Amino acid sequence: MKFGVVVFPGSNCDDDMIHVLGDVVGASVRKLWHKEESLGDLTTDDCIILPGGFSYGDYMRAGAIARFSPIMTAVIEHANAGGYVWGICNGFQILCEAGLLPGVLLHNDTQRFTCKNVYLKPATDKSAITAKLDQNKAYKIPIAHAEGRFHADEATINQLVANQQVLFYYCDESGQVTADTNPNGTLRNIAGICNEKRNVFGMMPHPERAAEDLLGNTDGLDLFTSLLASTEVAV
Amino acid sequence: MNFIAEVDIMPHQELLDPQGKTVAKNMKNLHLDGVEDVRIGKHVTLKLTAADEAEARQMVETACQKLLANVIMENFTYELKEAK
């Protein structure tokens, strides 16, 4: 699996992501400028990453303008053809605005930009980024956002839960999911979801910021190794 | 023909509006105890050229549906006037 990391004007986690994928994980990765109209040699076996940041200054709504960048037509075609797409933080917001994931990310109920470590409980092993995770472990991964309150109508939320499309819940250090461990008012403590076809992932926390011993935390690395291990083509 | 559209975008009534709530809570610093609730949205002015009013209306609808509002969280209303 190769990776393409889209750079929008205002993206700021693109270089961290490329460093982790290229230097830590050892995967083949390249940048995709938002004005490009094709994904080049990347195929549906590969993964397009929409990184964190403040694309277009979060004007109008976070992700609303980036969703109409030229590259997004190719990203949407890639997703519809079964290719992997993973949006982190602002990338998750862009995927919701683009309709590749249901729902929307509202302003945090705290009315603050929150940057801190939180704990995530995997909610399913039926997705490539959670398949190889310890389903009973609370993964320590940081969040850094002002608009992370996931919202959708009740029928959509019920469907996400029933279909095991919820990837992570915010929890405490021991894995308990409670109102106190909800950092932003998100519905049912939801931190990340996937689409029905399970090839498009969105999450607010930043695994690429917790993927190296040097940074004192490698919990995030497990998501990347899960993705690679569970999508490896058997020979 | 030239038109001006005045668009109002507001968060859905049932959704918590943290910005509005914060402003409402702080009205007491202005000694305005009578302010019971505040909700904050956006106002957008569009200047456009279209063949007729129907086409202008269609353009404003498309702009609102696709970019200016996210109907999952907001609703929009607008007034369209011919520009002099």
Side-chain angles (χ1 to χ4, degrees):
Chain A
M1 171 180 274
K2 301 191 295 294
F3 291 87
V5 179
V6 178
V7 183
F8 297 100
S11 294
N12 65 8
C13 301
D14 43 332
D15 284 320
D16 285 5
M17 183 59 78
I18 283 168
H19 166 64
V20 168
L21 288 168
D23 302 333
V24 182
V25 177
S28 163
V29 55
R30 72 176 182 94
K31 281 188 181 178
L32 295 163
W33 182 236
H34 72 109
K35 285 193 173 168
E36 291 180 45
E37 290 181 1
S38 116
L39 305 179
D41 61 347
L42 296 168
T43 71
T44 50
D45 291 335
D46 301 325
C47 181
I48 306 301
I49 305 250
L50 305 189
F54 302 84
S55 58
Y56 295 89
D58 281 350
Y59 295 164
M60 217 62 231
R61 289 177 311 282
I65 302 179
R67 173 256 177 279
F68 288 104
S69 269
I71 192 118
M72 284 306 293
T73 305
V75 171
I76 291 167
E77 278 171 18
H78 173 83
N80 289 339
Y84 292 99
V85 181
W86 187 0
I88 289 162
C89 200
N90 189 222
F92 184 14
Q93 295 161 340
I94 295 167
L95 290 174
C96 287
E97 284 285 342
L100 287 175
L101 290 172
V104 67
L105 282 312
L106 301 173
H107 277 277
N108 297 346
D109 64 354
T110 56
Q111 187 62 10
R112 285 192 192 132
F113 184 98
T114 303
C115 183
K116 64 176 185 183
N117 276 318
V118 295
Y119 289 91
L120 302 179
K121 183 175 168 45
T124 178
D125 60 1
K126 293 184 174 53
S127 88
I129 63 169
T130 60
K132 307 291 180 189
L133 299 185
D134 179 347
Q135 300 293 311
N136 296 311
K137 177 176 167 175
Y139 285 81
K140 185 168 83 173
I141 292 178
I143 53 168
H145 61 248
E147 294 99 2
R149 178 165 53 115
F150 184 71
H151 170 81
D153 62 43
E154 203 177 346
T156 304
I157 297 286
N158 288 338
Q159 202 179 358
L160 288 173
V161 173
N163 289 347
Q164 297 194 51
Q165 286 171 249
V166 178
L167 301 178
F168 298 102
Y169 293 110
Y170 294 108
C171 65
D172 66 13
E173 200 171 353
S174 66
Q176 296 301 308
V177 179
T178 68
D180 290 341
T181 63
N182 188 332
N184 53 24
T186 183
L187 285 177
R188 301 196 202 178
N189 282 40
I190 290 172
I193 59 168
C194 69
N195 65 340
E196 212 171 343
K197 282 162 68 186
R198 319 192 86 79
N199 60 317
V200 179
F201 319 111
M203 60 189 289
M204 290 312 298
H206 287 271
E208 81 281 7
R209 294 187 186 181
E212 276 178 286
D213 282 327
L214 189 63
L215 300 178
N217 183 3
T218 57
D219 280 7
L221 188 60
D222 294 2
L223 280 69
F224 298 100
T225 49
S226 174
L227 173 63
L228 286 166
S230 50
T231 54
E232 247 172 28
V233 183
V235 236
Chain B
M1 293 170 77
N2 296 320
F3 295 90
I4 291 179
E6 302 286 354
V7 185
D8 283 312
I9 301 137
M10 291 299 292
H12 286 325
Q13 199 58 44
E14 67 273 20
L15 287 181
L16 169 70
D17 169 19
Q19 198 181 183
K21 201 173 160 188
T22 305
V23 171
K25 266 169 66 180
N26 285 279
M27 283 291 168
K28 65 172 184 290
N29 293 341
L30 283 68
H31 310 292
L32 295 174
D33 295 339
V35 178
E36 288 172 8
D37 192 24
V38 176
R39 293 187 71 76
I40 298 177
K42 301 184 187 101
H43 184 90
V44 180
T45 303
L46 301 176
K47 289 184 183 173
L48 49 140
T49 306
D52 53 28
E53 193 187 321
E55 190 189 51
R57 200 163 287 279
Q58 192 53 51
M59 287 165 72
V60 176
E61 282 282 338
T62 303
C64 289
Q65 294 279 356
K66 287 195 161 182
L67 180 57
L68 302 183
N70 181 330
V71 294
I72 301 175
M73 61 191 260
E74 298 161 323
N75 50 53
F76 63 86
T77 54
Y78 62 89
E79 263 182 59
L80 187 68
K81 291 177 294 193
E82 197 180 333
K84 284 169 193 166

